[in-house]
Amino acid sequence: MNMPAVASERGRKVPRPSLELLKRAFKNPLTIIGAALLVVLVLTAIFADVLAPYKPTEIAGFPLLPPFSDGFLLGTDNLGRDTLSRVMLGSRMSLAVGVFGAGMGILIGIVIGSIAGYFGGWLDTLLMRVAELFQIIPALIIALVAAALFGGSMQLVILVIGFTFWPDTARIVRAQILTLKERHFIEAAKVAGFKSRRIILSDLLPNALPPVIVQAALLVGWAILVEAGLSFLGVGDVNIPTWGQMLSSAQVSLSQSPWLSIIPGLAVVLSVLGFNFVADGFNSALNPRRLAVEVDYRKLNAERVRKLKSAGEGVTAEVQTVESQYAHETDERSGIPQLIVDDLVFNFKVGGREVRAVNGVSFHVNRGECVGIVGESGSGKSTIGRVLAQLLPPVEVSRFEGRASLDGEDLLGLSGLKADRVRRDGISMVFQDPMSHLNPTMKVGAQIEEAFGGTISGAEARERIDELLERVDLPRAMNVADRYPHQLSGGQRQRAMIALALAMKPKLLIADEPTTALDASVQASVVETLLKLHHEEGLSILLISHDFGLIANMAERVYVMRQGKFVESADVIELFDNPKHDYTKSLLAAVPGFKANQGTEA
């Protein structure tokens, strides 16, 4: 499944809203339910004058008639007005306030986010401080103050919602722009002499808008809730029916006629749920990790993907040929495994209770191979990486046994300077939260130079730093080396951490949830960086993750971990096509769009 793109960089396409996006979004049943609710809401709002039996202010019957009495389907209110007519006509104003208020907030957010992200510097800092100021002031407070100063009206409600809802959108757009403006096609546009306005409108915004689609759907739902709250508090035009006004007027007869509150309240809930369901569907469709699993979950490289697609579902003879050929290539390339772990046990005590974090696991990583360890949170997979890197948690260790060697050197029996040397020269680690693991008081270049351990300095060190950053797609023009971690986007920080991990040319890179803390829009960029280092430079990688999408796209062999033990191991194609253990099947069953052959439990 190919997605249209407005530009590509190194073969990776930048997704743009399209028919394919809609198809993926509507594969989610909740999206269909949400869309159906919204269709009913919109049609009711448009044709309310035709569908409503009475005018909203018309006294049509006796007050407080219950539903299904005297021809009133939903009864009457405390003045005798038809509740059904008021709900229908109220949907028009509630929807209008939600759409126009959220739309104004989205538009303001796009403009401010684009300016802040593209120009940066003091302007970025100023605009983000203003955004923080608006985030801490509730919309209800601003609306009440404005109503006291200028009088209540629906136009005022729309303006208040628009001027208080923009900060989140601005931050999303800014983050997207920060990432996109690093791409080579933006540099080419600058070289071609295009003005900043043209670059922002034609090159950056079309690629930055997909996440805004999700945000827009969420904001409309929130705007409807805010309008209901404001109308409930008396802000707005009392002559125009809204669901919030119906809730407010129903309070005087709540104990006698509870349906007068339930009916408009249910309308608000269903409309908000509709927008939220649609937003969730688009969020899933725009998530590159889910898309990778849904479309070509067995991908190892472009050639294998083409063969697997032609093979169809299941393990056909052609796929088996690819597997055997791949196994032969691995044997020829690797020879003796680079990392060998044998019967590793690591137990510790917490609150008097013994936790078996790692309970007798054995595995190996061949030279130039990417091996994945996958399992749910708390299964012990991250503990393996920390034990190998001797980054043990500050706990009372009750049992620590087993053997581990890297190129024949013992990893667990060393201590002091010898352990530091093996760890420095042999193993590097990429953590899941770069902001927590990069020193916030040091510039990125200084942190990388510190990792050299004094072996090089001065101009030679700077040249090496720039080289490392360019290897992870952070070119010199971006001046990342002279920036602090907080001045970088999430994707830039993670790639800077990868460059830091490569500073001493490690034999093995342990990547512990390398994309978990990132926004979905930059995860694919980090994965591409790791794949390039793995395939082009032969870097051995131990990939620790709970994300099957990441494992499928990077690993060649997979170990499935549960409660400190490996329950299954196989080549990635075999594991996805024919899982043996029930636990593996249950994990894969939770992956959106996944289908596998049914095997027998190991």
Side-chain angles (χ1 to χ4, degrees):
M1 183 186 300
N2 295 322
M3 296 182 64
V6 294
S8 63
E9 180 185 19
R10 299 190 180 186
R12 175 160 51 85
K13 294 184 176 181
V14 182
R16 196 176 189 176
S18 64
L19 182 60
E20 296 296 332
L21 172 63
L22 293 175
K23 289 180 179 179
R24 289 195 306 276
F26 279 89
K27 286 183 179 180
N28 188 337
L30 289 180
T31 308
I32 298 175
I33 295 174
L37 289 173
L38 296 184
V39 167
V40 172
L41 174 64
V42 171
L43 291 179
T44 301
I46 293 174
F47 298 105
D49 291 328
V50 178
L51 297 174
Y54 302 94
K55 294 181 180 180
T57 57
E58 180 181 352
I59 305 299
F62 292 103
L64 301 180
L65 289 176
F68 306 107
S69 61
D70 292 345
F72 295 99
L73 185 62
L74 298 181
T76 60
D77 65 4
N78 57 333
L79 297 179
R81 296 171 296 186
D82 180 43
T83 303
L84 176 61
S85 300
R86 291 180 62 78
V87 168
M88 287 184 173
L89 291 163
S91 67
R92 176 179 295 173
M93 185 52 62
S94 295
L95 181 62
V97 171
V99 171
F100 287 109
M104 179 182 295
I106 290 288
L107 182 60
I108 295 173
I110 288 175
V111 173
I112 293 180
S114 299
I115 294 173
Y118 184 77
F119 294 103
W122 66 268
L123 186 59
D124 179 24
T125 302
L126 175 63
L127 292 176
M128 289 302 100
R129 297 297 83 80
V130 173
E132 291 171 0
L133 177 64
F134 273 88
Q135 283 183 307
I136 64 175
I137 302 177
L140 289 174
I141 301 299
I142 296 178
L144 291 174
V145 173
L149 294 175
F150 307 108
S153 68
M154 297 314 298
Q155 291 82 358
L156 176 67
V157 173
I158 292 175
L159 288 174
V160 169
I161 291 174
F163 280 106
T164 54
F165 272 36
W166 64 267
D168 288 339
T169 303
R171 289 187 174 276
I172 291 174
V173 173
R174 172 183 175 270
Q176 292 289 95
I177 297 294
L178 283 174
T179 301
L180 289 167
K181 73 176 185 179
E182 304 165 9
R183 308 284 178 85
H184 295 316
F185 69 89
I186 298 299
E187 295 177 358
K190 292 179 180 179
V191 172
F194 294 125
K195 294 183 178 180
S196 298
R197 182 177 61 181
R198 189 267 185 193
I199 294 175
I200 293 174
L201 295 177
S202 300
D203 294 321
L204 290 174
L205 278 183
N207 291 289
L209 287 181
V212 179
I213 297 175
V214 179
Q215 181 70 7
L218 290 173
L219 285 185
V220 174
W222 276 109
I224 291 175
L225 282 176
V226 171
E227 184 280 324
L230 292 174
S231 295
F232 180 82
L233 295 174
V235 178
D237 191 342
V238 295
N239 296 317
I240 302 176
T242 67
W243 293 334
Q245 286 182 2
M246 294 182 68
L247 286 170
S248 179
S249 62
Q251 299 308 299
V252 296
S253 56
L254 182 60
S255 59
Q256 182 181 358
S257 308
W259 66 85
L260 293 178
S261 295
I262 295 175
I263 293 171
L266 185 61
V268 172
V269 170
L270 290 177
S271 62
V272 173
L273 281 178
F275 283 106
N276 285 352
F277 286 166
V278 170
D280 182 69
F282 278 99
N283 183 52
S284 298
L286 289 166
N287 190 325
R289 294 185 299 169
R290 297 186 181 183
L291 178 60
V293 177
E294 179 182 349
V295 178
D296 53 356
Y297 63 87
R298 294 163 291 188
K299 183 176 71 172
L300 297 176
N301 56 40
E303 181 180 357
R304 292 193 181 92
V305 170
R306 289 193 294 269
K307 292 182 178 181
L308 288 171
K309 283 184 177 180
S310 63
E313 293 187 4
V315 184
T316 64
E318 183 178 355
V319 177
Q320 291 173 348
T321 301
V322 174
E323 288 178 319
S324 61
Q325 178 185 354
Y326 172 68
H328 177 66
E329 292 172 355
T330 303
D331 292 339
E332 283 189 346
R333 176 185 63 186
S334 59
I336 300 174
Q338 188 172 30
L339 173 69
I340 300 176
V341 178
D342 183 29
D343 199 22
L344 180 63
V345 177
F346 184 80
N347 300 340
F348 58 88
K349 290 185 178 180
V350 176
R353 182 175 63 90
E354 185 173 26
V355 177
R356 298 180 179 180
V358 182
N359 193 13
V361 301
S362 300
F363 66 96
H364 68 277
V365 179
N366 294 315
R367 194 177 309 278
E369 185 182 26
C370 181
V371 172
I373 299 178
V374 66
E376 59 188 330
S377 298
S379 61
K381 56 188 185 298
S382 292
T383 303
I384 293 177
R386 290 185 169 272
V387 168
L388 294 178
Q390 297 197 14
L391 299 175
L392 303 180
V395 295
E396 180 185 352
V397 179
S398 59
R399 186 181 177 190
F400 186 11
E401 301 174 359
R403 295 172 296 277
S405 63
L406 182 67
D407 278 344
E409 290 195 88
D410 186 11
L411 291 177
L412 306 182
L414 300 177
S415 60
L417 295 177
K418 291 183 178 180
D420 291 340
R421 178 186 58 80
V422 172
R423 181 167 50 186
R424 183 181 66 247
D425 298 342
I427 295 177
S428 286
M429 204 161 179
V430 175
F431 301 93
Q432 60 179 299
D433 185 1
M435 194 61 189
S436 299
H437 291 88
L438 290 173
N439 190 333
T441 64
M442 293 178 63
K443 294 180 180 179
V444 171
Q447 296 186 55
I448 297 176
E449 183 175 0
E450 189 178 50
F452 295 153
T455 56
I456 57 175
S457 60
E460 184 181 358
R462 181 59 189 232
E463 185 69 23
R464 173 70 174 149
I465 291 169
D466 290 339
E467 176 189 340
L468 285 169
L469 292 172
E470 287 186 357
R471 286 173 65 186
V472 295
D473 293 331
L474 296 174
R476 300 186 190 192
M478 295 173 58
N479 203 29
V480 171
D482 294 325
R483 297 164 70 181
Y484 291 95
H486 72 272
Q487 294 176 311
L488 306 178
S489 67
Q492 290 173 333
R493 284 194 292 266
Q494 192 64 289
R495 285 178 295 200
M497 176 171 283
I498 296 173
L500 179 61
L502 298 176
M504 292 306 295
K505 301 180 180 179
K507 300 173 183 177
L508 174 70
L509 180 68
I510 300 175
D512 185 7
E513 303 283 9
T515 62
T516 299
L518 300 179
D519 188 273
S521 60
V522 298
Q523 290 171 355
S525 176
V526 174
V527 170
E528 181 185 348
T529 299
L530 289 172
L531 281 172
K532 181 183 70 173
L533 294 170
H534 170 52
H535 289 298
E536 296 181 4
E537 304 185 23
L539 179 65
S540 302
I541 299 177
L542 178 62
L543 179 62
I544 299 170
S545 180
H546 66 271
D547 181 1
F548 267 105
L550 180 62
I551 292 292
N553 279 280
M554 288 192 61
E556 294 149 21
R557 290 187 299 110
V558 187
Y559 293 86
V560 181
M561 194 168 191
R562 182 187 188 190
Q563 296 180 352
K565 295 182 178 181
F566 290 152
V567 297
E568 185 171 355
S569 64
D571 288 346
V572 67
I573 298 176
E574 174 64 22
L575 184 82
F576 276 76
D577 273 338
N578 193 22
K580 304 293 185 183
H581 199 278
D582 287 342
Y583 177 69
T584 307
K585 295 176 186 176
S586 66
L587 290 179
L588 289 172
V591 178
F594 174 78
K595 294 180 181 179
N597 296 334
Q598 297 297 316
T600 58
E601 183 176 356

